[in-house]
Amino acid sequence: MEISFCQSLRTRALACVSLLTALVGGTAPSQAQQAPKTKLIVWGLQSGAETAGLDAQVAEFEKRNPDIDVSLLSLGAGGMNPQKLLTSIVGGAPPDLINQDRFTIGDWASRDAFEPLDKFLAAEKGQKSPIKASDFYTAAWNESLYKGHAYAIPTDIDDRVLYYNRKVFREAGLDPNKPPRTWEELKEYAKKLTKMRKDGTFERIGFIPNYGNSWLYLYSWQNGGDFLSPDGRKCTLDNPQSVGALQYMTDMYDALGGYDKVNIFQSGFQGAEQDPFFTGKIAMVINGSWNLGGIARYAPDLDFGVAPAPVPEARLKGEGIFKGQAPYITWSGGFSLAIPRGAKHPQQAWRFIKWMTSVESALIGGKAQQAFNKAKGRPFVFTLSASPAVNDQMLKSFPLSNARLQGGQKTVVELLPAAKYRPVTFIGQTLWDAHVRAFERACQHVLSPKAALTEQTNLVQKELNRAFERDNLPLLSFTWPIIIIAALSIGGLAFGGVRIKKQVGNSPMARREALTGYLMAAPWIVGFLLLTAGPIIASILLAFSDYDVLHAPRYAGLSNFQFLFTDDRELIGKAFYNAFYLAAFGIPLGMATGLAIAMLLNMKVKGMNWYRTAFYIPSIVPGIASAVLWAWILAGDPSKGLLNALWNATLTQWFGVLPPGWFGVADWAKPGLIVQGLWGAGGGMILWLAGLQGIPTTLYEAAQIDGASRWSQFRHVTLPMLSPYIFFNFIMGTIGALQEFDRVYVLGGGSGSGGPLDSMMVPVLFLFKNAFQYFKMGYASAIAWVVFVVILALALLQLWAQKYWVHYETDKR
């Protein structure tokens, strides 16, 4: 009571001071000063030069809600890259709202990362314009549910259709008003529309089964397939319909010359105004409804058509399992607004959700964006809403004058009621990666479509089983680990104290010096214990647990290691094979290149400092920038890649040898990494140069007197004297190869895909995928310790072997 009275008295005193201050200044305190605005933080939406519509929507919301100040932050959040959101929730500082890819809602909801919105929806009943399920397309609403509870409210939606170039159709003798309707017609059209160069490469391709945004998901749905049982407990990826769909995709690639040949051509494709469909490099493509906006902006004069994606003939005729079903199928995606767990302002966030999904908000945003586009000389194609009512109003309010765009917009809207959506499950990302891996392995004839799908189905099913068994695992107790660590720490300190006392003795000066030394080292010691030793110990414990960061860890024994060396043995084996390949070929080539450059730069030539600088500069270019640069240089399509353009102009023209596909083809991906790595050989050149200049000239003079040739001098003088440098480069190169990450992350396609057929999957990338894409932190910790043991074993082996071939100046042998 006394505390409450004092707080009240203090508050009143402060109010009086504020009033007196305002009166002295000639002003009176306003209502806004008494009640500061609530800052509503929204991730996944970004205000910018091209977002006039969004800016108008937010401005109108703030006008109608003067107590709220909206802060939009993109931060790369909202997609399938969860690191930022994960850390914000764990750190207790999540945003109030996030515009999240709907595909990931189920995964986040299963980990209690989002607040269920049922209480908000229940409170809507009886209010004016309440949010309810019937306001949205079935696919969009159901994709936002998890176990019957709503965890997000859909905002936009998209679907997939066939875009075709009418001009190219006419050139090939095809009727531009009759696009393909069935799979067989699509295959025939693709072959007729493909045009080859004299050197056997593509000048134009009719259709690529997996370019654009189709994936095996679409073909399987068209063929009547599915991926999970209705209860979500069984993976059905290898059902006969999906096998048939994958077989069709494989046959299509074979008809066009094979997956690798098509992929080399595809690797040169770009976006925006250089989109291959806009420039005529591909005649037909299955892509999302968003492509209409791209055409309006970058290719408004393109003569194109839009049609439903071709389907099996049986579906079109309504025969067999397709009886009574819609003749055409598409699949949808999009984003939804969700409230993260621990958000500070959920009520204000809900008000923002209601506004952003309303018809009025959409019309205000559309009007502002239309005016912006008009000022830029572009047509305005609105983004499809997850609400049919919003789309109806937008179609009426913003009709398109371009007949092609108008027809395409009508087609995509008409297909939305029949849209499929990806399974809502906590293993959504795992299932997606599995279907991609099955597609690659089948289309490159590593396995048959049936075998590829069965292999991946078994892996996904094992992940499902582990997840459902998780609740049966006991919580990981930290009591005994803490006791053991504390005991070891106390014992270590006691032992260290005894040792120090013996060394210092009874001298006061020695004691002061020792104390001063330890005080100077204390910041590093504390930092090491808290920021290095602590995480290392934690990772040991987590390696024996099931842990996803958002829940308490559960003790799993050796199951992580067992799963790694049994069920995941192929992937981890591939990762280590790739790392050893890079080490076995990359290290010797890198050392030889660096040494060769150093020997050239060790000569007495005028302007040598400039030459040394020129060779050294590439080694200080950031790794990511270097990877992006070499992705262009080694692009598989000769019209884009500089190296392949030179190859095409020489070796292909003279001898008919086609250029390699580099990062777009499994067989050339690792050689491409090695070639890219040689560009930075100037970094090692500095060490070699120092070693060369440290060799006594008297050794060469003695060798010359004995009649040794230049090669003999290099072999018997230079190399032995450089053996310590060779050893250092060898051991550091081996460690670097096993810790490879940044280059393969970028060159493998981003998001840790690992490149074609996992040809660039390395141990650290495999660890990253499991930790930050699948939330399997315990499993990732186990992988980390396996990688550490391998690196330690190789380092110890190299240290042991050095005595047989490394020569030091201090050796007495």
Side-chain angles (χ1 to χ4, degrees), residues 218-234:
L218 176 62
Y219 295 99
S220 177
W221 279 319
Q222 289 178 329
N223 206 32
D226 53 27
F227 306 96
L228 280 179
S229 61
D231 62 1
R233 302 184 72 91
K234 182 179 180 181

Side-chain angles (χ1 to χ4, degrees), residues 140 194 241:
T194 297
Q241 290 76 25

Side-chain angles (χ1 to χ4, degrees), residues 173-215:
L174 298 172
D175 188 343
N177 297 315
K178 293 183 178 180
R181 300 185 305 158
T182 67
W183 281 1
E184 288 305 315
E185 288 180 0
L186 180 62
K187 186 187 293 185
E188 291 302 316
Y189 278 42
K191 290 188 287 187
K192 290 180 180 179
L193 293 166
T194 297
K195 187 176 181 180
M196 308 297 291
R197 298 189 184 101
K198 292 181 180 179
D199 59 12
T201 60
F202 291 107
E203 180 177 333
R204 179 184 70 219
I205 195 165
F207 178 76
I208 300 176
N210 205 42
Y211 177 72
N213 208 269
S214 51
W215 301 97

Side-chain angles (χ1 to χ4, degrees), residues 454-512:
T454 299
E455 174 191 63
Q456 297 305 313
T457 298
N458 292 336
L459 288 175
V460 174
Q461 188 60 53
K462 289 174 181 176
E463 288 289 351
L464 278 169
N465 296 340
R466 291 186 75 193
F468 285 118
E469 293 170 359
R470 183 181 189 276
D471 291 339
N472 298 325
L473 298 175
L475 291 174
L476 180 65
S477 174
F478 289 92
T479 303
W480 280 108
I482 290 174
I483 292 174
I484 294 171
I485 292 169
L488 291 174
S489 300
I490 294 171
L493 289 173
F495 177 77
V498 171
R499 294 279 300 176
I500 293 170
K501 187 175 182 180
K502 286 184 178 180
Q503 292 175 356
V504 172
N506 296 320
S507 170
M509 182 178 293
R511 289 180 180 179
R512 285 197 299 270

Side-chain angles (χ1 to χ4, degrees), residues 452-742:
L453 287 169
T454 299
E455 174 191 63
Q456 297 305 313
T457 298
N458 292 336
L459 288 175
V460 174
Q461 188 60 53
K462 289 174 181 176
E463 288 289 351
L464 278 169
N465 296 340
R466 291 186 75 193
F468 285 118
E469 293 170 359
R470 183 181 189 276
D471 291 339
N472 298 325
L473 298 175
L475 291 174
L476 180 65
S477 174
F478 289 92
T479 303
W480 280 108
I482 290 174
I483 292 174
I484 294 171
I485 292 169
L488 291 174
S489 300
I490 294 171
L493 289 173
F495 177 77
V498 171
R499 294 279 300 176
I500 293 170
K501 187 175 182 180
K502 286 184 178 180
Q503 292 175 356
V504 172
N506 296 320
S507 170
M509 182 178 293
R511 289 180 180 179
R512 285 197 299 270
E513 289 179 352
L515 179 62
T516 302
Y518 282 107
L519 285 174
M520 295 298 103
W524 180 88
I525 295 172
V526 173
F528 172 78
L529 293 175
L530 294 179
L531 303 178
T532 303
I536 288 174
I537 294 170
S539 70
I540 295 174
L541 299 177
L542 294 177
F544 299 94
S545 69
D546 187 307
Y547 181 51
D548 66 356
V549 179
L550 297 174
H551 294 98
R554 292 178 177 272
Y555 180 69
L558 295 172
S559 63
N560 286 329
F561 296 95
Q562 181 183 0
F563 191 85
L564 180 64
F565 292 115
T566 54
D567 299 309
D568 259 357
R569 64 183 182 279
E570 183 176 348
L571 270 176
I572 192 64
K574 182 78 171 180
F576 275 112
Y577 167 77
N578 291 337
F580 289 138
Y581 183 103
L582 294 174
F585 294 96
I587 293 174
L589 284 173
M591 288 196 297
T593 304
L595 178 57
I597 295 172
M599 294 181 71
L600 289 173
L601 298 181
N602 197 37
M603 300 170 65
K604 306 298 182 183
V605 179
K606 185 178 181 180
M608 182 56 69
N609 289 339
W610 291 100
Y611 291 118
R612 290 174 180 175
T613 302
F615 278 105
Y616 182 70
I617 283 176
S619 67
I620 62 175
V621 174
I624 298 297
S626 175
V628 172
L629 172 66
W630 279 87
W632 284 81
I633 294 175
L634 297 181
D637 182 14
S639 66
K640 303 297 179 185
L642 298 179
L643 187 60
N644 276 8
L646 178 62
W647 184 304
N648 202 44
T650 54
L651 297 177
T652 303
Q653 294 290 339
W654 299 340
F655 307 109
V657 180
L658 294 177
W662 299 115
F663 305 122
V665 177
D667 291 341
W668 282 97
K670 286 186 287 293
L673 286 172
I674 292 172
V675 171
Q676 188 259 336
L678 294 179
W679 190 54
M685 171 267 296
I686 297 295
L687 292 175
W688 294 117
L689 192 59
L692 287 170
Q693 293 180 350
I695 300 175
T697 56
T698 54
L699 297 179
Y700 292 108
E701 293 169 355
Q704 289 174 354
I705 293 173
D706 290 340
S709 64
R710 287 186 176 272
W711 168 247
S712 295
Q713 292 177 42
F714 176 76
R715 180 182 175 187
H716 297 290
V717 177
T718 305
L719 283 182
M721 295 302 293
L722 288 178
S723 59
Y725 298 88
I726 297 173
F727 171 70
F728 174 79
N729 280 286
F730 184 52
I731 196 168
M732 294 304 295
T734 302
I735 294 172
L738 285 165
Q739 292 181 335
E740 183 77 65
F741 175 73
D742 50 359

